[in-house]
Amino acid sequence: MKLKQILFLFILFSVFSWNVFSAENDELSKEKILTLEECISLAKENNLSIKVHKNTLNDLKRKNETSWNSVSPSIKGDAAFQDDFVNKTESFAISGSLGLTLSTNLYSTIKGAKLNYENGLLTYNQAVKQIEMSVWKTFYDLIYKTEYFSFQSQNLLTAKKNYEQNLEKFKNGKISELDVMSSRVSYEQKKPVLEEARIDLTNNLELFKNIIGVDFDDEIKLDGSLDFLLELKDIKLPPKENPSPDVQAAKFAVEIAENNLLAQRFSSYSPVITGTYKYGQTLNIDNSLWNETSSLSVGVSIPLDSYLPWSSSAVSINSKKESLESAKLNLEDAEKSIRVNTENALRKINQIISMLEVSKETVALAKKTYEMTETAYNYGKTDFLTLQNASDNVLNAEVSLKNQAKTLMETLLDTEYLLGLEFGTILKLSTE
């Protein structure tokens, strides 16, 4: 009886363990379905490029928080042992010094560190937005490639169906052998096209995993569609609140150049005050007596060579003036470029929207034409080549429509990045 109980428990444990193992295996092998929002979140958390830019920003932040350290006192301690072989004396000395340097450069140093950090923050935010834009574009590119693969799959099935039907008709003496051979060649030609689409989709999906930081062994499927772009009629931009990132960067460049000029003038014309206090004691080992020293020194250094126009300081000041003038010109150019590029982008967006309307009608016409051609072919009123052309026209029209929708999305994203908007802002405003 005891043996039977042990055997029963062993079998029960084995069944339980197998079920747990199978459940874990199913969970591991389960395909992950990711939305656009989930992909963006994963990229911000895992992308290595963002982490590198974050380290750079942290360094600039630390320098900004400690930019006052030029007025921090310098502290120094010394110890020395001396053996005078001629006088046969030995001594041991310890001393310390406290130094302080004051210069008018402190203001420009603190301001420069602050400007560098703020500019670095802008650079970091733009780096994050570049990754986010890459996620958006790649996501919808993969949606397009998935649909393209689906179109090619359906096209292959249609070609296979035509070939099988033609083969049956040939056996019944209804069509010529040439139509059978043509349908078979058409069917075989579509196989490598489908395989190429599959490889392209797989390769780009692997690259996307690297962007969002997903393990390469994970199976993922994207949950999205391009169809909502086909209903877009009009584009609306939000009211302008902040300058575009390019203009902000150009403004920072002007402020940094102004501060560099000020710092150079401080260095060239302003005095530097230094103060040092020293204290020490020396022990005469022979008589065990201590000698004490204490001193304070204050100095002022005034640069005078800056008043000579050929001096290096004067040349440096002129160089900083030229840099400031160049930064102002770059700011003016950035402001003009933003206006021109924004207008160009809006014209391109409206053109694509107009093309989408025509392409939708083209798809509907191609499908209707194929249906009528297929009916005519089944009644022997047209040849197989005409039917094949009609089928190809449907495929090309559908692919062109989805490709235009993808281009529209990419143009919208480029426009939002140009203006410094959150991605999806234009779409949200235009569909409300």
Side-chain angles (χ1 to χ4, degrees):
M1 186 68 179
K2 188 175 182 181
L3 181 61
K4 290 183 178 180
Q5 289 178 343
I6 294 175
L7 183 61
F8 174 75
L9 290 175
F10 175 75
I11 294 174
L12 185 64
F13 176 76
S14 299
V15 171
F16 175 77
S17 299
W18 173 255
N19 288 335
V20 171
F21 176 76
S22 298
E24 289 178 351
N25 257 1
D26 291 341
E27 187 67 27
L28 289 173
S29 61
K30 188 177 180 181
E31 188 177 50
K32 293 182 179 178
I33 300 178
L34 299 176
T35 63
L36 174 63
E37 292 74 18
E38 290 171 333
C39 291
I40 293 172
S41 178
L42 286 169
K44 289 182 177 180
E45 181 181 351
N46 301 324
N47 188 270
L48 297 179
S49 178
I50 291 180
K51 292 180 179 180
V52 171
H53 281 92
K54 184 64 174 178
N55 289 337
T56 303
L57 179 64
N58 288 337
D59 182 53
L60 291 173
K61 182 180 180 181
R62 189 162 42 250
K63 290 178 179 178
N64 177 48
E65 292 172 346
T66 58
S67 57
W68 53 270
N69 59 14
S70 62
V71 297
S72 178
S74 60
I75 303 172
K76 183 180 179 182
D78 295 300
F81 171 77
Q82 183 177 358
D83 189 348
D84 190 338
F85 297 111
V86 176
N87 298 315
K88 299 185 182 302
T89 60
E90 295 179 337
S91 62
F92 174 74
I94 56 174
S95 63
S97 63
L98 179 67
L100 185 64
T101 301
L102 298 176
S103 68
T104 49
N105 264 10
L106 176 62
Y107 169 77
S108 58
T109 299
I110 293 176
K111 185 177 180 181
K114 182 176 182 293
L115 288 173
N116 287 332
Y117 171 66
E118 292 175 347
N119 187 48
L121 185 60
L122 175 64
T123 302
Y124 170 75
N125 289 333
Q126 286 305 101
V128 173
K129 290 205 71 172
Q130 284 180 343
I131 297 299
E132 187 178 351
M133 182 169 66
S134 179
V135 172
W136 274 75
K137 286 187 174 183
T138 310
F139 182 90
Y140 282 105
D141 181 62
L142 285 168
I143 294 297
Y144 164 74
K145 292 183 185 302
T146 301
E147 296 195 16
Y148 177 79
F149 178 77
S150 178
F151 289 149
Q152 294 294 349
S153 298
Q154 184 60 46
N155 200 35
L156 180 65
L157 291 175
T158 301
K160 182 181 179 182
K161 182 192 74 172
N162 289 337
Y163 167 62
E164 291 173 345
Q165 289 178 346
N166 283 351
L167 184 61
E168 188 65 28
K169 289 178 182 178
F170 172 72
K171 290 178 180 178
N172 296 328
K174 294 182 178 180
I175 62 172
S176 67
E177 185 180 3
L178 181 61
D179 277 355
V180 177
M181 293 177 63
S182 297
S183 60
R184 183 177 182 278
V185 170
S186 175
Y187 170 54
E188 294 297 333
Q189 285 177 338
K190 287 174 173 52
K191 289 181 180 180
V193 176
L194 178 63
E195 179 63 15
E196 183 181 2
R198 185 191 68 80
I199 293 174
D200 185 42
L201 175 60
T202 302
N203 290 345
N204 282 274
L205 198 57
E206 292 299 308
L207 293 174
F208 187 61
K209 289 179 184 179
N210 185 50
I211 295 176
I212 63 177
V214 171
D215 193 277
F216 290 111
D217 294 329
D218 290 345
E219 294 294 330
I220 65 172
K221 182 179 180 181
L222 304 183
D223 180 15
S225 173
L226 291 165
D227 291 341
F228 70 98
L229 291 163
L230 304 180
E231 306 304 321
L232 206 58
K233 303 294 183 184
D234 191 25
I235 291 299
K236 297 178 183 177
L237 293 180
K240 188 176 181 181
E241 296 180 355
N242 299 312
S244 69
D246 287 347
V247 172
Q248 290 184 53
K251 286 183 176 180
F252 273 124
V254 170
E255 293 183 37
I256 290 172
E258 289 174 340
N259 189 66
N260 289 341
L261 176 59
L262 180 63
Q264 186 61 50
R265 283 173 169 165
F266 280 150
S267 298
S268 301
Y269 299 114
S270 301
V272 177
I273 302 173
T274 58
T276 305
Y277 172 74
K278 292 183 178 180
Y279 176 82
Q281 289 193 359
T282 303
L283 172 64
N284 189 322
I285 298 177
D286 295 330
N287 54 25
S288 300
L289 293 178
W290 287 90
N291 294 320
E292 184 179 35
T293 59
S294 180
S295 65
L296 174 66
S297 62
V298 178
V300 178
S301 174
I302 303 176
L304 298 176
D305 60 341
S306 307
Y307 295 95
L308 303 176
W310 58 83
S311 67
S312 61
S313 296
V315 171
S316 295
I317 290 175
N318 289 328
S319 297
K320 294 294 188 293
K321 288 180 179 178
E322 295 293 339
S323 297
L324 174 58
E325 185 61 28
S326 297
K328 290 180 178 178
L329 292 173
N330 288 334
L331 172 59
E332 183 180 352
D333 181 63
E335 291 172 336
K336 291 180 179 178
S337 297
I338 288 297
R339 287 198 297 270
V340 172
N341 292 335
T342 302
E343 292 172 0
N344 290 343
L346 290 176
R347 282 192 288 268
K348 183 178 179 180
I349 290 171
N350 290 324
Q351 179 191 18
I352 297 173
I353 291 176
S354 300
M355 292 171 60
L356 283 172
E357 291 300 315
V358 176
S359 294
K360 286 191 288 186
E361 295 179 2
T362 302
V363 170
L365 176 62
K367 288 181 176 180
K368 186 65 177 178
T369 301
Y370 176 75
E371 291 174 3
M372 295 177 66
T373 305
E374 185 180 32
T375 301
Y377 179 75
N378 290 335
Y379 281 99
K381 302 296 184 181
T382 188
D383 57 14
F384 178 75
L385 182 59
T386 302
L387 177 64
Q388 185 58 51
N389 289 336
S391 177
D392 291 341
N393 288 339
V394 173
L395 173 66
N396 294 334
E398 289 179 329
V399 169
S400 177
L401 177 64
K402 291 305 174 71
N403 189 43
Q404 288 173 9
K406 179 174 74 76
T407 303
L408 175 59
M409 173 59 76
E410 291 172 347
T411 308
L412 288 170
L413 292 171
D414 289 335
T415 305
E416 289 170 336
Y417 181 80
L418 178 70
L419 298 176
L421 302 174
E422 290 295 323
F423 293 121
T425 299
I426 297 178
L427 278 173
K428 184 178 179 181
L429 288 174
S430 303
T431 53
E432 288 179 347

